[in-house]
Short mmCIF file of all heavy atoms in Angstrom, two decimals:
data_model
loop_
_atom_site.label_atom_id
_atom_site.label_comp_id
_atom_site.label_asym_id
_atom_site.label_seq_id
_atom_site.Cartn_x
_atom_site.Cartn_y
_atom_site.Cartn_z
N THR A 1 97.83 90.22 92.53
CA THR A 1 98.09 89.85 91.16
C THR A 1 96.98 90.31 90.30
O THR A 1 95.80 89.99 90.55
CB THR A 1 98.28 88.33 91.03
OG1 THR A 1 99.30 87.91 91.91
CG2 THR A 1 98.65 87.95 89.61
N LEU A 2 97.27 91.08 89.25
CA LEU A 2 96.21 91.61 88.38
C LEU A 2 95.62 90.50 87.55
O LEU A 2 96.26 89.51 87.22
CB LEU A 2 96.78 92.71 87.46
CG LEU A 2 96.61 94.16 88.00
CD1 LEU A 2 97.25 94.33 89.36
CD2 LEU A 2 97.10 95.15 87.02
N PRO A 3 94.34 90.65 87.16
CA PRO A 3 93.62 89.61 86.38
C PRO A 3 94.39 89.28 85.10
O PRO A 3 94.93 90.17 84.42
CB PRO A 3 92.29 90.27 86.07
CG PRO A 3 92.12 91.26 87.15
CD PRO A 3 93.45 91.80 87.48
N GLY A 4 94.46 87.97 84.79
CA GLY A 4 95.07 87.53 83.55
C GLY A 4 96.54 87.26 83.63
O GLY A 4 97.17 86.78 82.69
N SER A 5 97.18 87.62 84.79
CA SER A 5 98.61 87.43 84.96
C SER A 5 99.01 85.97 84.73
O SER A 5 98.31 85.04 85.09
CB SER A 5 99.06 87.89 86.34
OG SER A 5 98.95 89.29 86.48
N ARG A 6 100.18 85.78 84.10
CA ARG A 6 100.74 84.47 83.80
C ARG A 6 99.79 83.64 82.91
O ARG A 6 99.77 82.42 82.94
CB ARG A 6 101.10 83.69 85.06
CG ARG A 6 102.31 84.29 85.77
CD ARG A 6 102.57 83.67 87.14
NE ARG A 6 102.64 82.21 87.12
CZ ARG A 6 103.74 81.50 86.87
NH1 ARG A 6 104.89 82.15 86.62
NH2 ARG A 6 103.72 80.19 86.90
N SER A 7 99.02 84.36 82.11
CA SER A 7 98.20 83.74 81.05
C SER A 7 98.11 84.70 79.87
O SER A 7 98.47 85.87 80.01
CB SER A 7 96.79 83.43 81.58
OG SER A 7 95.97 84.55 81.61
N ASP A 8 97.61 84.22 78.75
CA ASP A 8 97.49 85.10 77.59
C ASP A 8 96.53 86.24 77.84
O ASP A 8 96.58 87.30 77.18
CB ASP A 8 97.05 84.32 76.36
CG ASP A 8 98.13 83.37 75.83
OD1 ASP A 8 99.31 83.61 76.17
OD2 ASP A 8 97.82 82.47 75.10
N ASP A 9 95.63 86.10 78.86
CA ASP A 9 94.67 87.13 79.15
C ASP A 9 95.30 88.38 79.77
O ASP A 9 94.60 89.38 79.95
CB ASP A 9 93.61 86.58 80.15
CG ASP A 9 92.71 85.54 79.50
OD1 ASP A 9 92.64 85.49 78.24
OD2 ASP A 9 92.10 84.78 80.22
N VAL A 10 96.61 88.32 80.07
CA VAL A 10 97.26 89.51 80.61
C VAL A 10 97.17 90.67 79.61
O VAL A 10 97.25 91.85 79.98
CB VAL A 10 98.72 89.20 81.02
CG1 VAL A 10 99.58 89.03 79.80
CG2 VAL A 10 99.26 90.29 81.95
N LEU A 11 97.03 90.31 78.30
CA LEU A 11 96.89 91.35 77.29
C LEU A 11 95.60 92.21 77.49
O LEU A 11 95.55 93.33 77.02
CB LEU A 11 96.85 90.72 75.87
CG LEU A 11 98.09 89.97 75.44
CD1 LEU A 11 97.87 89.34 74.06
CD2 LEU A 11 99.32 90.93 75.39
N ASP A 12 94.65 91.67 78.22
CA ASP A 12 93.38 92.41 78.46
C ASP A 12 93.55 93.55 79.43
O ASP A 12 92.60 94.34 79.58
CB ASP A 12 92.31 91.41 78.97
CG ASP A 12 91.87 90.42 77.92
OD1 ASP A 12 92.06 90.70 76.69
OD2 ASP A 12 91.37 89.35 78.29
N LEU A 13 94.71 93.68 80.09
CA LEU A 13 94.90 94.79 81.02
C LEU A 13 94.75 96.13 80.33
O LEU A 13 94.38 97.12 80.94
CB LEU A 13 96.27 94.69 81.67
CG LEU A 13 96.46 93.56 82.67
CD1 LEU A 13 97.88 93.52 83.17
CD2 LEU A 13 95.46 93.71 83.84
N GLN A 14 95.03 96.18 78.99
CA GLN A 14 94.89 97.42 78.28
C GLN A 14 93.44 97.80 78.03
O GLN A 14 93.14 98.97 77.69
CB GLN A 14 95.64 97.34 76.97
CG GLN A 14 95.08 96.26 75.99
CD GLN A 14 95.96 96.04 74.81
OE1 GLN A 14 96.34 96.99 74.12
NE2 GLN A 14 96.26 94.79 74.54
N HIS A 15 92.53 96.84 78.21
CA HIS A 15 91.10 97.11 77.97
C HIS A 15 90.27 97.16 79.25
O HIS A 15 89.10 97.41 79.16
CB HIS A 15 90.53 96.01 77.05
CG HIS A 15 91.29 95.88 75.74
ND1 HIS A 15 91.46 96.90 74.87
CD2 HIS A 15 91.91 94.78 75.21
CE1 HIS A 15 92.17 96.45 73.84
NE2 HIS A 15 92.45 95.19 74.02
N SER A 16 90.87 96.88 80.41
CA SER A 16 90.13 96.83 81.68
C SER A 16 90.72 97.81 82.64
O SER A 16 91.78 98.45 82.40
CB SER A 16 90.13 95.41 82.24
OG SER A 16 91.47 94.93 82.34
N SER A 17 90.08 97.98 83.82
CA SER A 17 90.49 98.95 84.80
C SER A 17 89.82 98.70 86.11
O SER A 17 88.75 98.10 86.18
CB SER A 17 90.13 100.36 84.29
OG SER A 17 90.30 101.35 85.28
N ASN A 18 90.48 99.13 87.21
CA ASN A 18 89.79 99.12 88.48
C ASN A 18 89.32 100.52 88.87
O ASN A 18 88.95 100.76 90.02
CB ASN A 18 90.68 98.50 89.60
CG ASN A 18 91.84 99.41 89.97
OD1 ASN A 18 92.22 100.34 89.25
ND2 ASN A 18 92.41 99.16 91.13
N VAL A 19 89.37 101.42 87.95
CA VAL A 19 88.93 102.80 88.16
C VAL A 19 87.60 103.04 87.49
O VAL A 19 86.65 103.53 88.12
CB VAL A 19 89.97 103.81 87.62
CG1 VAL A 19 89.54 105.23 87.78
CG2 VAL A 19 91.31 103.62 88.33
N SER A 20 87.49 102.69 86.24
CA SER A 20 86.28 102.92 85.47
C SER A 20 86.35 102.23 84.15
O SER A 20 87.43 102.06 83.56
CB SER A 20 86.09 104.45 85.26
OG SER A 20 85.11 104.68 84.28
N SER A 21 85.18 101.78 83.63
CA SER A 21 85.13 101.24 82.29
C SER A 21 85.42 102.33 81.27
O SER A 21 85.72 102.00 80.09
CB SER A 21 83.76 100.62 82.05
OG SER A 21 82.75 101.60 82.21
N GLU A 22 85.40 103.58 81.68
CA GLU A 22 85.68 104.69 80.75
C GLU A 22 87.15 105.07 80.72
O GLU A 22 87.55 105.95 79.98
CB GLU A 22 84.83 105.91 81.16
CG GLU A 22 83.34 105.66 81.06
CD GLU A 22 82.54 106.85 81.52
OE1 GLU A 22 83.15 107.90 81.86
OE2 GLU A 22 81.29 106.80 81.53
N THR A 23 87.98 104.38 81.54
CA THR A 23 89.42 104.64 81.53
C THR A 23 90.15 103.32 81.33
O THR A 23 90.92 102.88 82.22
CB THR A 23 89.87 105.27 82.86
OG1 THR A 23 89.50 104.44 83.96
CG2 THR A 23 89.24 106.65 83.02
N PRO A 24 89.96 102.65 80.19
CA PRO A 24 90.63 101.37 79.99
C PRO A 24 92.16 101.50 80.07
O PRO A 24 92.74 102.46 79.58
CB PRO A 24 90.18 100.95 78.60
CG PRO A 24 89.77 102.24 77.95
CD PRO A 24 89.20 103.10 79.02
N GLY A 25 92.79 100.53 80.69
CA GLY A 25 94.20 100.53 80.80
C GLY A 25 94.78 101.18 82.04
O GLY A 25 95.97 101.17 82.27
N LEU A 26 93.89 101.79 82.87
CA LEU A 26 94.36 102.43 84.09
C LEU A 26 94.02 101.61 85.32
O LEU A 26 92.85 101.26 85.53
CB LEU A 26 93.69 103.83 84.20
CG LEU A 26 93.96 104.59 85.51
CD1 LEU A 26 95.45 104.81 85.70
CD2 LEU A 26 93.19 105.89 85.55
N TRP A 27 95.06 101.29 86.12
CA TRP A 27 94.90 100.57 87.35
C TRP A 27 95.57 101.41 88.44
O TRP A 27 96.70 101.80 88.28
CB TRP A 27 95.51 99.18 87.26
CG TRP A 27 94.87 98.32 86.28
CD1 TRP A 27 94.98 98.38 84.90
CD2 TRP A 27 93.92 97.27 86.55
NE1 TRP A 27 94.18 97.40 84.32
CE2 TRP A 27 93.52 96.72 85.30
CE3 TRP A 27 93.42 96.74 87.74
CZ2 TRP A 27 92.62 95.68 85.21
CZ3 TRP A 27 92.50 95.68 87.64
CH2 TRP A 27 92.11 95.18 86.38
N THR A 28 94.90 101.62 89.55
CA THR A 28 95.46 102.46 90.62
C THR A 28 95.32 101.82 91.95
O THR A 28 94.33 101.08 92.23
CB THR A 28 94.77 103.86 90.62
OG1 THR A 28 95.44 104.72 91.54
CG2 THR A 28 93.34 103.74 90.93
N PHE A 29 96.31 102.01 92.82
CA PHE A 29 96.38 101.40 94.16
C PHE A 29 96.94 102.42 95.12
O PHE A 29 97.73 103.30 94.74
CB PHE A 29 97.26 100.14 94.17
CG PHE A 29 97.04 99.25 92.99
CD1 PHE A 29 97.87 99.34 91.86
CD2 PHE A 29 96.00 98.33 92.99
CE1 PHE A 29 97.67 98.53 90.78
CE2 PHE A 29 95.81 97.52 91.88
CZ PHE A 29 96.62 97.62 90.79
N ALA A 30 96.57 102.29 96.41
CA ALA A 30 97.08 103.19 97.42
C ALA A 30 97.78 102.37 98.52
O ALA A 30 97.23 101.41 99.01
CB ALA A 30 95.95 104.01 98.04
N ILE A 31 98.98 102.79 98.85
CA ILE A 31 99.72 102.16 99.98
C ILE A 31 99.62 103.10 101.14
O ILE A 31 100.12 104.25 101.07
CB ILE A 31 101.19 101.86 99.59
CG1 ILE A 31 101.25 101.08 98.29
CG2 ILE A 31 101.89 101.16 100.73
CD1 ILE A 31 100.60 99.72 98.34
N ARG A 32 99.01 102.66 102.26
CA ARG A 32 98.81 103.52 103.41
C ARG A 32 99.35 102.84 104.65
O ARG A 32 99.03 101.70 104.93
CB ARG A 32 97.34 103.84 103.59
CG ARG A 32 96.68 104.60 102.42
CD ARG A 32 97.23 106.03 102.33
NE ARG A 32 96.61 106.80 101.26
CZ ARG A 32 97.13 106.96 100.08
NH1 ARG A 32 98.27 106.33 99.75
NH2 ARG A 32 96.51 107.70 99.17
N ASN A 33 100.17 103.56 105.39
CA ASN A 33 100.77 103.04 106.64
C ASN A 33 101.52 101.73 106.36
O ASN A 33 101.52 100.82 107.20
CB ASN A 33 99.71 102.86 107.72
CG ASN A 33 99.03 104.13 108.10
OD1 ASN A 33 99.71 105.18 108.27
ND2 ASN A 33 97.73 104.11 108.23
N GLY A 34 102.13 101.65 105.23
CA GLY A 34 102.91 100.46 104.84
C GLY A 34 102.09 99.28 104.44
O GLY A 34 102.61 98.20 104.17
N ALA A 35 100.74 99.43 104.39
CA ALA A 35 99.87 98.34 104.07
C ALA A 35 99.20 98.53 102.73
O ALA A 35 98.84 99.69 102.35
CB ALA A 35 98.79 98.17 105.17
N PRO A 36 98.96 97.47 101.95
CA PRO A 36 98.37 97.59 100.63
C PRO A 36 96.84 97.74 100.76
O PRO A 36 96.28 97.67 101.81
CB PRO A 36 98.72 96.25 99.96
CG PRO A 36 98.83 95.30 101.10
CD PRO A 36 99.40 96.09 102.24
N PRO A 37 96.12 98.01 99.62
CA PRO A 37 94.71 98.13 99.64
C PRO A 37 94.03 96.92 100.26
O PRO A 37 94.46 95.80 100.07
CB PRO A 37 94.35 98.29 98.16
CG PRO A 37 95.57 98.88 97.54
CD PRO A 37 96.69 98.29 98.29
N GLY A 38 92.92 97.17 100.98
CA GLY A 38 92.15 96.12 101.62
C GLY A 38 92.41 95.97 103.09
O GLY A 38 91.71 95.24 103.79
N SER A 39 93.40 96.71 103.61
CA SER A 39 93.79 96.57 105.01
C SER A 39 92.93 97.41 105.94
O SER A 39 92.97 97.21 107.17
CB SER A 39 95.27 96.93 105.19
OG SER A 39 95.49 98.27 104.73
N SER A 40 92.15 98.36 105.41
CA SER A 40 91.36 99.23 106.29
C SER A 40 90.16 99.78 105.47
O SER A 40 90.20 99.85 104.24
CB SER A 40 92.19 100.38 106.84
OG SER A 40 92.51 101.30 105.79
N PRO A 41 89.09 100.23 106.17
CA PRO A 41 87.96 100.81 105.44
C PRO A 41 88.34 102.06 104.66
O PRO A 41 87.69 102.35 103.66
CB PRO A 41 86.99 101.15 106.58
CG PRO A 41 87.35 100.25 107.70
CD PRO A 41 88.85 100.09 107.63
N SER A 42 89.37 102.82 105.13
CA SER A 42 89.74 104.01 104.42
C SER A 42 90.58 103.74 103.19
O SER A 42 90.80 104.64 102.38
CB SER A 42 90.51 104.95 105.38
OG SER A 42 91.74 104.32 105.83
N ASN A 43 91.06 102.51 103.03
CA ASN A 43 91.84 102.13 101.86
C ASN A 43 91.41 100.77 101.39
O ASN A 43 92.16 99.77 101.45
CB ASN A 43 93.35 102.14 102.21
CG ASN A 43 94.21 101.84 100.97
OD1 ASN A 43 93.80 102.10 99.82
ND2 ASN A 43 95.38 101.29 101.18
N PRO A 44 90.17 100.64 100.88
CA PRO A 44 89.68 99.36 100.43
C PRO A 44 90.26 98.97 99.09
O PRO A 44 90.80 99.82 98.36
CB PRO A 44 88.19 99.59 100.33
CG PRO A 44 88.08 101.05 99.98
CD PRO A 44 89.19 101.72 100.75
N LEU A 45 90.20 97.69 98.78
CA LEU A 45 90.60 97.18 97.47
C LEU A 45 89.56 97.58 96.45
O LEU A 45 88.39 97.25 96.60
CB LEU A 45 90.79 95.68 97.49
CG LEU A 45 91.22 95.03 96.18
CD1 LEU A 45 92.64 95.45 95.81
CD2 LEU A 45 91.12 93.51 96.29
N LEU A 46 89.97 98.26 95.39
CA LEU A 46 89.03 98.60 94.33
C LEU A 46 88.83 97.42 93.39
O LEU A 46 89.76 96.71 93.10
CB LEU A 46 89.53 99.80 93.53
CG LEU A 46 89.74 101.10 94.33
CD1 LEU A 46 90.13 102.24 93.42
CD2 LEU A 46 88.43 101.47 95.07
N PRO A 47 87.63 97.26 92.90
CA PRO A 47 87.29 96.08 92.06
C PRO A 47 87.59 96.30 90.61
O PRO A 47 87.88 97.39 90.18
CB PRO A 47 85.79 95.94 92.30
CG PRO A 47 85.31 97.35 92.46
CD PRO A 47 86.44 98.06 93.20
#
């Protein structure tokens, strides 16, 4: 669940990112071998 979900802070998604502070509004994830980010060292969860 992305930060701010089910609260008024969900509007902040346009100003934040898990890629870079220089790319506000961009969130990216990788699905590998049917598993979401965080399941292996090669596909960690980005902060």
